[in-house]
Amino acid sequence: MSTMDPRTTVINERLKRINRIIAVSSGKGGVGKSLVATTLALELAQRGCKVGLFDLDFTSPSTHLIMGVKDAQPKEDKGIVPPVVKGLAYMSLIQFSGDHAAPLRGTDISNALIELLAVTQWGELDFLVLDMPPGISDAVLDLVRLVKRIEFLIVTTPSRLAFETVKKQVRLLQELKVPIIGVVENMKMNRAKNIEQETEKLGVKFLAGIPYDLKVEEAIGDVAKLGDTAIAQRVRKVAANNIAQ
Amino acid sequence: MHEWALAEAVITAAQQIAEKEKLREIREVDIKIGELQQVERDIFRFALSQLKPASFKNAKFRISTAKTTLKCRVCEHIWLFSKSKLDEDTAEAIHFVPEVAHAYIKCPKCGSPDFEISEGRGVWLENIKGVR
């Protein structure tokens, strides 16, 4: 036999007590993906669900900043047990790399991802929300390959630049037969319906339009304030009507 | 005790290979551990002994260590990883996720964090032998 990386064989065993695994993704960066992922996880937890949040945007993690996480280290018990942060089982590479920049190439990202999937003991969860890196990168392809029950929720803005990349991502996921829960349009400046219509043309559900909200920036780091933003209000409805129903 | 999760992965992978190669009983399992991950051998070996199923009852686990070779992508300098140069917290972070080495280690020649882990990263299953 040739040499073998044993880690991939236990990934689905580690995830087997998780009911649904939702990857929050985007075609481009800067569209509010991490905010949507974090608020989705928090809103599902608010509804009484057991929820995990896994920040997979390894080179630019931000969910810890959004939630104001100061120090939350995982514990070791036959693997790594995520700490509970704001009611969520929480994992981020930041717990290992601290404030240092982690300049990772594609193969390094794949390796770190496989390592964390193989050793993290999530236990029983209703939902695991993944904050994905933007685009169709190695992490997306690895997750689709390794996590059998993954579903995607895609975030865009009204910009055609953002939506064009979403189209590519949707086509790829459709080709790979990966379920797409729907598309969320963030930072809406008006009531234009073009993204909603374009999304439906792709055969994908349009979940919500989120108005641009100046309060979001000052809510960064404060989960209570975040709950009053337009993002949380719309994501709350998505959680109730399209995910936890 | 993160070694348990890695040992479980080795056993699961070895079982899958045994099944594929129609091996009834496993006699030898060769495992290579890269120095970068700093796996505690005693815990790892104990975990293997506790986790092995009946078909591995007489299996001998041979564990070898591979030195970690790092190669700078900027100046192509090649050097060996040494744990002794790291503080305890950094060594532990790299133990959990070897790739975070990129956040702490730099090329000793040019100072770049853009290096390749050419050899000796983590745990590999090298070979298994058994009877049909």
Side-chain angles (χ1 to χ4, degrees), chain B:
Chain B
M1 303 301 249
H2 149 247
E3 279 77 3
W4 278 80
L6 297 171
E8 194 184 345
V10 167
I11 295 284
T12 309
Q15 274 179 296
Q16 285 182 6
I17 294 164
E19 209 169 293
K20 205 168 139 193
E21 296 186 3
K22 298 188 170 63
L23 302 177
R24 203 166 27 86
E25 193 191 332
I26 309 304
R27 295 280 170 84
E28 289 173 19
V29 181
D30 292 330
I31 302 159
K32 191 168 263 184
I33 300 177
E35 263 188 354
L36 186 62
Q37 195 157 29
Q38 314 148 63
V39 169
E40 289 277 351
R41 259 176 192 248
D42 292 346
I43 301 172
F44 185 64
R45 193 176 277 285
F46 179 68
L48 287 170
S49 71
Q50 297 295 301
L51 292 164
K52 66 181 183 185
S55 56
F56 284 65
K57 197 175 67 179
N58 299 313
K60 190 175 172 191
F61 291 95
R62 281 197 298 244
I63 304 170
S64 59
T65 306
K67 292 227 174 281
T68 301
T69 309
L70 307 174
K71 183 181 176 188
C72 180
R73 285 192 172 103
V74 178
C75 74
E76 299 192 340
H77 178 63
I78 295 170
W79 75 103
L80 289 176
F81 164 77
S82 167
K83 187 190 168 183
S84 63
K85 291 180 184 160
L86 305 175
D87 63 55
E88 205 179 313
D89 288 348
T90 305
E92 191 177 78
I94 294 172
H95 165 60
F96 285 124
V97 188
E99 282 63 40
V100 299
H102 290 278
Y104 301 105
I105 296 174
K106 295 192 168 33
C107 169
K109 201 170 161 198
C110 76
S112 171
D114 185 14
F115 57 84
E116 176 189 309
I117 303 165
S118 315
E119 260 185 280
R121 178 203 172 275
V123 176
W124 279 85
L125 187 53
E126 287 269 289
N127 199 15
I128 72 168
K129 282 183 187 160
V131 288
R132 288 192 175 169

Side-chain angles (χ1 to χ4, degrees), chain A residues 24 71 110 127 136 140 150 179 181 199 216 224:
Chain A
V24 178
D71 184 30
S110 289
F127 297 97
I136 311 168
V140 172
I150 197 163
I181 298 167
T199 298
V216 170

Side-chain angles (χ1 to χ4, degrees), chain A residues 4-14 114 118 146, chain B residues 5-6 8-17 125:
Chain A
M4 179 184 181
D5 179 354
R7 299 170 300 165
T8 53
T9 61
V10 287
I11 290 175
N12 284 293
E13 174 69 23
R14 296 278 179 265
I114 291 169
L146 297 167
Chain B
L6 297 171
E8 194 184 345
V10 167
I11 295 284
T12 309
Q15 274 179 296
Q16 285 182 6
I17 294 164
L125 187 53

